[in-house]
Amino acid sequence: MLNFEFHNPTRIVFGRDTIARLDALLPPAARVLVLYGGGSVRQNGTLAEVRAALGGREVREFGGIEPNPTYETLMRAVALVRQERLDFLLAVGGGSVIDGTKFVAAALSFTGEDPWTILETHGANVTGAMPFGSVLTLPATGSEMNPTAVITRTETAAKLAFRSPYTFPQFSILDPSKTFTLPARQVANGVVDAFVHITEQYLTFPVDARVQDRFAEGLLQTLIEIGPRAVAQPEDYDTRANLVWTATLALNGLIGAGVPGDWATHMIGHELTARFGIDHARTLAVVLPALLRERREAKRGKLLQYAERVWHITEGTEDARIEAAIRRTEAFFESLGLPTRLSSYAVGTEAIDGLVAQLETHGMTALGEQKEITPEVSRRILEASLVPAA
Ligand SMILES: NC(=O)c1ccc[n+]([C@@H]2O[C@H](COP(=O)([O-])OP(=O)(O)OC[C@H]3O[C@@H](n4cnc5c(N)ncnc54)[C@H](O)[C@@H]3O)[C@@H](O)[C@H]2O)c1
């Protein structure tokens, strides 16, 4: 097992009717900015519940945070907090709203010239953040219990991540019934996003981290078991409860402690979202299978373990078992309605040069757990993702 430090300060409040707990979770005299997205939380009553739970506190609202939140929009929220002298941020929404709130929190304490450098340094220059909490409405990203945020700058089509010890939410309220109004597409996206968060921390090379491996395998098996039902039966509370908690555990630092991390699928996927606007999870469904085939030698040990323990594939040569596991993964994504080929998005070979150039511009030149995914390897992965499944 690799050396590690694990610290996660986010309080999780889980279950039905837990939004009422906000009153106890926020300081009594907090001056609050509630941040939300395109209005789903207004339509489904979540925002009204939040307002009621905040009691007599001074509250302002900032709506309109986009899926793939933009720097340009978030800087307007920063200005509003300063103008209104607010001192607590409350994100109500999915990963985009929570990520956006992390950026606003960090930018408010930032003393440098240009807050965009928070993204360029991946958070290394963050020295503080305004306190914030979240009310989660979409199980997918794990943002509700991690310190990471992914922010897009529209003018340069750059989608970059940052993380800092200062940007953990103080608390997150996870009421699975608040996910009932999600469109099926977003639920399916969430299942795949969580799935790939787990594979990024599991499908690397063995370091004899038995608990982390078994934890990861349990989370993957849970997603395989409940994913289709979570999509088909929106008001099945127990299925949604399992999905919410699995997605949180997939990326709250626990299964990644003491093991190598890959994250190349995410970094290549971010370029696809920045350039073509493809949903985050859908980029992962396209990149992961091609990446696993390209890296099958470096990942051989863990791919064989994945085949056996997650998909129960025990027959055939090593190569046949690995290929079968990748095919089962593709079939799982496709069964949820997520294509596994870039060609499904009308993106062709002409796009590859630009995508590889973007990876280089963003310093993504030695990706993966072995740092061996050079721009040339990324090119091969993207080219393979264009080829229709055999
Ligand atoms: N912080 C992290 O660790 C992390 C990890 C993975 C991805 N991300 C980032 O998170 C973003 C994606 O977040 P996401 O997948 O949670 O989706 P999202 O927050 O972008 O939301 C997707 C859509 O669902 C709608 N929605 C949300 N809750 C709803 C509800 N209860 N009912 C109806 N509609 C609802 C939103 O309005 C939005 O239109 C991307 O930018 C991605 O890069 C962050």
Side-chain angles (χ1 to χ4, degrees):
M1 198 183 301
L2 309 180
N3 291 0
F4 69 89
E5 248 183 72
F6 177 68
H7 174 69
N8 192 315
T10 302
R11 177 188 300 272
I12 295 294
V13 180
F14 191 103
R16 281 188 202 272
D17 303 325
T18 41
I19 288 182
R21 290 271 296 126
L22 277 173
D23 193 28
L25 290 165
L26 267 83
R31 294 173 55 81
V32 187
L33 182 67
V34 174
L35 301 99
Y36 61 96
S40 59
V41 295
R42 188 186 290 284
Q43 284 148 25
N44 65 18
T46 304
L47 198 58
E49 242 183 278
V50 166
R51 273 196 215 116
L54 289 173
R57 292 177 181 84
E58 201 64 48
V59 177
R60 300 283 182 282
E61 288 176 8
F62 185 88
I65 297 179
E66 313 86 342
N68 309 306
T70 68
Y71 172 77
E72 291 84 351
T73 298
L74 299 170
M75 287 308 292
R76 290 198 282 110
V78 170
L80 179 64
V81 173
R82 289 196 171 127
Q83 183 194 313
E84 299 286 321
R85 300 183 188 285
L86 306 173
D87 57 21
F88 200 97
L89 307 177
L90 182 62
V92 183
S96 292
V97 174
I98 303 175
D99 281 13
T101 301
K102 289 176 186 174
F103 177 75
V104 173
L108 281 163
S109 296
F110 186 66
T111 51
E113 290 274 296
D114 177 6
W116 179 249
T117 60
I118 292 173
L119 278 310
E120 288 173 338
T121 64
H122 304 297
N125 62 359
V126 173
T127 53
M130 184 170 278
F132 67 98
S134 88
V135 175
L136 180 76
T137 63
L138 197 172
T141 63
S143 187
E144 64 277 9
M145 200 179 177
N146 73 39
T148 303
V150 195
I151 308 297
T152 297
R153 188 152 191 175
T154 314
E155 59 171 334
T156 51
K159 185 174 185 188
L160 299 178
F162 85 94
R163 52 185 291 141
S164 156
Y166 299 102
T167 50
F168 280 97
Q170 279 195 350
F171 62 82
S172 286
I173 294 184
L174 279 50
D175 178 344
S177 70
K178 297 297 153 209
T179 73
F180 289 174
T181 54
L182 279 166
R185 174 193 177 98
Q186 295 299 345
V187 181
N189 282 356
V191 172
V192 172
D193 194 20
F195 194 96
V196 181
H197 290 156
I198 302 161
T199 63
E200 296 273 33
Q201 301 163 90
Y202 168 70
L203 285 177
T204 56
F205 55 84
V207 292
D208 198 14
R210 293 167 190 235
V211 167
Q212 293 91 322
D213 279 4
R214 289 201 166 89
F215 213 147
E217 288 152 1
L219 295 173
L220 290 169
Q221 285 172 322
T222 303
L223 290 172
I224 292 164
E225 206 169 272
I226 67 171
R229 200 160 62 239
V231 175
Q233 295 174 26
E235 304 211 358
D236 176 343
Y237 178 85
D238 286 328
T239 299
R240 286 293 169 93
N242 279 287
L243 176 57
V244 170
W245 192 224
T246 302
T248 302
L249 290 170
L251 197 52
N252 72 348
L254 191 61
I255 66 167
V259 301
D262 181 337
W263 300 107
T265 297
H266 271 72
M267 297 308 128
I268 298 171
H270 287 168
E271 301 303 346
L272 288 167
T273 300
R275 213 146 233 264
F276 301 109
I278 303 170
D279 292 353
H280 173 64
R282 289 172 177 256
T283 69
L284 307 178
V286 158
V287 177
L288 181 72
L291 180 136
L292 294 180
R293 289 198 174 92
E294 169 68 31
R295 301 291 298 156
R296 76 164 59 204
E297 289 314 321
K299 293 181 183 291
R300 180 168 285 268
K302 292 305 283 285
L303 278 168
L304 286 165
Q305 184 177 323
Y306 172 64
E308 182 178 344
R309 293 201 195 168
V310 176
W311 293 110
H312 311 297
I313 299 166
T314 51
E315 303 283 312
T317 63
E318 285 191 0
D319 281 332
R321 279 179 272 152
I322 289 172
E323 180 57 25
I326 298 172
R327 281 179 186 245
R328 294 288 294 275
T329 309
E330 287 173 335
F332 178 58
F333 295 167
E334 298 270 356
S335 76
L336 294 167
L338 281 85
T340 54
R341 293 298 183 277
L342 203 41
S343 35
S344 302
Y345 297 98
V347 175
T349 30
E350 70 290 344
I352 308 276
D353 283 346
L355 289 164
V356 175
Q358 285 284 87
L359 281 165
E360 286 178 321
T361 304
H362 298 145
M364 305 295 166
T365 52
L367 297 172
E369 67 275 14
Q370 311 272 20
K371 309 254 173 281
E372 289 174 349
I373 303 187
T374 59
E376 269 322 295
V377 180
S378 293
R379 175 184 295 281
R380 287 205 296 274
I381 291 167
L382 285 162
E383 281 168 356
S385 78
L386 286 169
V387 179

